[in-house]
Every structure is written in structure tokens, then in C-alpha cells.
Amino acid sequence: TKPIRIIVPYAPGGPFDEVARILSQRLHESWGQPVLVENRSGAGGSIAAEFVARSAPDGYTLLHGNAGPLTINPSLMRKVGYDPVRDFAPVSLLLTSAMVLVVHPSLPVRSVADLVRLARAHPGELNYASAGVGNLQHLGMESLQARAGIRMNHVPYKGAAPAFVDIFGGRIGLMFANVVGAMPHVRAGKLRAVAVSSAKRSGSLPEGPAVAGTYPGFD
């Protein structure tokens, strides 16, 4: 009976934002009410989650949540300002997606083995981006480093979109990115896809190997 808001925990232009805007249009067509997308990035998604948790519990403010604010942050942070079980009611699973390891085309990396060799030859010199401290992109890269015995520098952003900008410009070398958001840039030649984070090859990138092909069990 009135406008609905979908709160996105990350910056405009990223894959989560794109999915929310597609969803908002479909819901608007179904409900006949405006469905507005509002970006509240920061703190790995916790700022948006806390905002929704404190909003009126009437169903008109929805969180486009993911593992970051709902499972990872409450486990890693001492205080997040909300209880993911008490303060939210799950409505619907929208999508599941793998991440893809992408690099700037100038980086001499075409495989996980290439990356490991380069990082070992230049310890602490490679910079990788993520959409925030403690999110899946950050933890995925930390897991890869632990398995490979390498060390790179983490540069967190408030979402995937600003991280992509710095990779396009060559200021950041690589990142794990959501495959939905990364593939248009891979096809445009702005990024090179190296491997997917899922246990098996992804349907979105059938030609791309899985990290698990080099480090079994990585998923």
C-alpha cells in the first residue's frame, strides 16, 4: 500500500546493486508500488544491516543481505549493532554465485600457479582488493594465501564497483570478485579471469578452471 525500500549493503554499480535493481523493477510491476533501491555501504555490510534492523518491522524495508552482514561479521566482530537471527526474517533466496579470481591484464598471471610464483618472487608487493574487511572476497584470498604460503597486501573498499575502478587503472593487481559482476569486464578485456572459487567449474565461466584444481578442497 506504499513504497518499499531495498537496502543494499554495498556501493552502487556492483553485482549486488545490479541484482537489487532488477528485482525492484519486477516487484514494482507485481505490486504496483514504487520499490526503491538504497545503497548504504561500509563495515562489510553491517551499516546497512543495522539500519534495516532498526527500521519499523512492517516489511517495507528489506535487506538485500548476503553472508557478509548475516554470518561473517557477527562471527568476526565484537559488536555489529544487530542480531542476525533475532532481528531479521528470511524472505527468499535470490541467487547463489561463485567468485572468480581476476587480475589486471598487465599482470603476468594466467593461472593460480602463475600467481603463486609471482607472489613468492615478490613477497608483500602484490596488492589485492576486496569489497570490505572480512567479506567473502577478503576471506577467500586469505584462504588462498594460507594454502599457498604466500603474502599479499589487502586493500578493502566499500564495494566491488570502486575496487574494479582501481583494478582497471592498474593501481590494484587482483581480487576475488562475484562472477556476476566480473564477467562483463572480463569479456570487455578490462580484466583477466584466472580461476573460480567454487569446487567445480562455474556455468558462468565454463572455460575457467577452479582454484580447487590447484589446491584441492578450496571452495
Side-chain angles (χ1 to χ4, degrees):
T1 59
K2 62 181 182 180
I4 300 97
R5 288 189 296 175
I6 299 177
I7 308 301
V8 176
Y10 305 107
F16 254 69
D17 183 62
E18 294 173 5
V19 170
R21 293 181 189 278
I22 294 171
L23 175 67
S24 69
Q25 180 62 32
R26 297 295 180 88
L27 293 178
H28 164 67
E29 295 168 358
S30 176
W31 293 339
Q33 291 290 340
V35 181
L36 311 174
V37 174
E38 185 175 322
N39 300 84
R40 289 180 175 263
S41 58
S46 289
I47 289 176
E50 183 175 3
F51 175 81
V52 174
R54 294 184 178 185
S55 67
D58 56 9
Y60 284 89
T61 304
L62 306 174
L63 175 67
H64 186 191
N66 70 339
L70 295 178
T71 60
I72 296 173
N73 293 356
S75 300
L76 293 182
M77 300 178 183
R78 191 177 301 275
K79 184 178 180 182
V80 292
Y82 57 89
D83 184 309
V85 176
R86 182 193 64 215
D87 293 336
F88 300 106
V91 177
S92 178
L93 176 66
L94 296 179
L95 63 96
T96 59
S97 177
M99 296 186 294
V100 57
L101 179 61
V102 292
V103 302
H104 186 270
S106 67
L107 211 63
V109 171
R110 296 185 177 275
S111 67
V112 174
D114 286 346
L115 174 61
V116 172
R117 280 193 293 268
L118 185 65
R120 285 177 178 169
H122 302 276
E125 295 181 20
L126 291 178
N127 297 321
Y128 77 89
S130 81
V133 173
N135 74 357
L136 287 174
Q137 298 169 3
H138 179 199
L139 296 182
M141 196 68 81
E142 290 298 318
S143 177
L144 175 58
Q145 290 187 94
R147 289 169 181 261
I150 57 177
R151 180 169 55 86
M152 299 182 290
N153 300 316
H154 177 218
V155 183
Y157 291 79
K158 288 188 175 182
F164 280 145
V165 170
D166 275 2
I167 295 184
F168 298 157
R171 291 177 289 276
I172 295 289
L174 66 154
M175 71 182 294
F176 264 125
N178 186 294
V179 70
V180 173
M183 287 315 299
H185 305 305
V186 171
R187 296 190 183 101
K190 295 181 179 180
L191 299 173
R192 179 186 301 131
V194 175
V196 294
S197 67
S198 48
K200 299 180 180 179
R201 291 174 184 254
S202 169
S204 301
L205 187 66
E207 72 276 15
V211 175
T214 304
Y215 295 100
F218 189 94
D219 185 9

